[in-house]
Structure formats: C-alpha cells, structure tokens
Amino acid sequence: MSTTRTTLRRAGLVTALAAAGVLTAAGVASAHVTVHPESYAKGATDGVLTFRVPNEENTAGTTKVQVFLPTDHPVLGVLVTPQDGWTAKVTTTKLKTPVKTDDGTITEAVSEISWTGGKIGAGQYEDFNVAFGQLPDDTDQLTFKTLQTYSDGKTVRWIEEASGGEEPENPAPVLKLTAKSAEGEGGSASTDSSATPKSSDSSKSTASSSDSTARGLGIGGLIVGVLGLAAAVFAVLRSRSAGSRAE
C-alpha cells in the first residue's frame, strides 16, 4: 500500500505542477495591453483599431487609460467611439511634417487619447475602439505607448519596444503595417472580419474567457496532467497483477 500511495502522490504532484505551469504562462501572455487587429495594410482607410486593456491587479481597478499615437507617422482622421461609463479626451498636436492627402494638406493629428471615469475590475478587460480615416504608408509598424492607472495610484507604463527578438516586460501595443494588397490601397491585412473585437458590451467579460489561446494552453496542461495520472494508476495496477501471479 505504501508503494501505491507514493506512486499516486508523485503522479498527483506532476499533474498539479504541469497544469499550474501552463496556466500561469497563459495568464502572463494575456495580461498585456494590445491592439487589434494585429496588422493593417499600409495606407489603409476607414478602419477601426481596438485597444484591449486587461486588469492585472487583484485589489485595484483600472481607472484611467492613456494611449499615445505616433506623430512622426501620424494616424489621420481619428474618431473615438462613445464608451459607457468612460469619458474620452482627445489631444491633437501640430505636425512637424504636414501630410498631403487627396482632401488637402493635414497639419495636425491626434497625439493622445485618454479615457477616465470608468473602471475595469479584477479579472476583467475593456475594449476601447478608435476609428481612423487613413494609416501612414511610409513605415512598417506603429507603436502606441500606453499608460494604465489603477485606483490605488499605481501606473503601469506599456511603453517598451522589443529588442533582439525578446519581448520586454511591459511591451507597448504594436500595429504591423503590411504591403498594400493588389486589389486596393486600403483595408486590413487580414480578410477575417472577426479580427476586430466586438464592442464594449462584450468587453467586460473576464480576461480568461476572452483569450482563446490561454484557454487552449490551460486545457492542454490539464490533459497532460490527467494522462500522467492515468499512466501512474495503470502502472500500479500492473504491478499488483504481476505480484498476484508471482504468489
């Protein structure tokens, strides 16, 4: 009996560690502020960018979000979607280099959008939708540095850029700009209409339910653990059978 119990304890420990390790990794991966979709075609027009902000703290809520738009490669025609419970403030800046468009020369562009008045609770996220008239066509990506302020006064600075292929601790949301498609100058790089997250009504769901990748990894970890436990039980039963035959 002692050998059986020891084997089962070890199998249970392996199961727990495997599941916990995978779930922890999934949780970390889903906690960053991100922009969706992940890519658009260069010069794309009349689209929507969604900034997903998950709450990382267990004892405080997110009460302010500030997204900074690049002005060296400006996003033109920015409009903010009304958000229940939140008040948006849009700041414009005069461009060092005006942008020529079919509608004329643009000398100012939005440089910052801040949302206040609402709250993102523990285990929740919020989607902030921003419409644009035109994306730049002279760069390969846009970095949107973001500040996330909590009710306890803590501010997380999502401003770091990847270097050397490694993801930083607090990465800034990055939108990749791909080559223009042959069918037209605008549009998203993805043909899947579901690439853009839904409106704020569904954005208050828990962060775990929103991240399919995290769920997949977690389920995978549990399956691995269960298989390991099953293998251990089979080994115990087999050893008992062998002992019975020997008697």
Side-chain angles (χ1 to χ4, degrees):
M1 288 296 294
S2 60
T3 302
T4 300
R5 290 177 180 175
T6 300
T7 302
L8 291 176
R9 285 197 192 100
R10 289 177 179 176
L13 179 59
V14 171
T15 301
L17 289 176
V22 174
L23 289 173
T24 299
V28 171
S30 64
H32 300 160
V33 175
T34 52
V35 61
H36 303 271
E38 296 180 350
S39 65
Y40 259 109
K42 293 181 178 180
T45 58
D46 301 326
V48 175
L49 297 175
T50 299
F51 295 92
R52 176 160 292 178
V53 182
N55 193 87
E56 292 184 309
E57 299 294 324
N58 294 323
T59 59
T62 297
T63 56
K64 184 177 182 179
V65 177
Q66 297 166 269
V67 176
F68 297 88
L69 286 68
T71 55
D72 53 346
H73 303 286
V75 178
L76 306 180
V78 170
L79 295 173
V80 179
T81 302
Q83 197 91 353
D84 290 342
W86 295 87
T87 299
K89 179 183 178 181
V90 179
T91 302
T92 58
T93 299
K94 187 174 183 178
L95 299 175
K96 293 182 178 180
T97 305
V99 179
K100 294 182 179 181
T101 69
D102 295 338
D103 298 323
T105 301
I106 306 298
T107 59
E108 292 185 342
V110 173
S111 58
E112 178 187 349
I113 305 173
S114 63
W115 288 270
T116 57
K119 185 176 181 180
I120 308 173
Q124 296 181 334
Y125 71 88
E126 189 83 43
D127 281 342
F128 297 92
N129 296 326
V130 176
F132 64 83
Q134 183 175 342
L135 295 178
D137 59 4
D138 57 352
T139 184
D140 293 328
Q141 66 178 33
L142 295 176
T143 300
F144 299 95
K145 296 182 179 181
T146 303
L147 301 184
Q148 180 179 10
T149 302
Y150 288 90
S151 55
D152 60 2
K154 176 182 178 181
T155 298
V156 179
R157 300 169 61 84
W158 301 99
I159 63 173
E160 300 175 2
E161 299 184 38
S163 177
E166 295 184 2
E167 184 180 49
E169 183 177 355
N170 295 316
V174 174
L175 176 71
K176 297 179 180 179
L177 298 180
T178 61
K180 297 178 182 179
S181 63
E183 296 180 356
E185 295 182 355
S188 170
S190 172
T191 57
D192 184 1
S193 60
S194 64
T196 301
K198 295 182 179 179
S199 61
S200 59
D201 289 341
S202 62
S203 67
K204 294 181 182 293
S205 302
T206 60
S208 59
S209 65
S210 69
D211 193 331
S212 59
T213 302
R215 290 200 305 269
L217 289 172
I219 294 172
L222 292 175
I223 292 175
V224 170
V226 171
L227 290 177
L229 182 59
V233 172
F234 176 76
V236 170
L237 294 177
R238 185 176 181 181
S239 63
R240 284 183 177 180
S241 177
S244 299
R245 289 196 299 269
E247 293 176 357

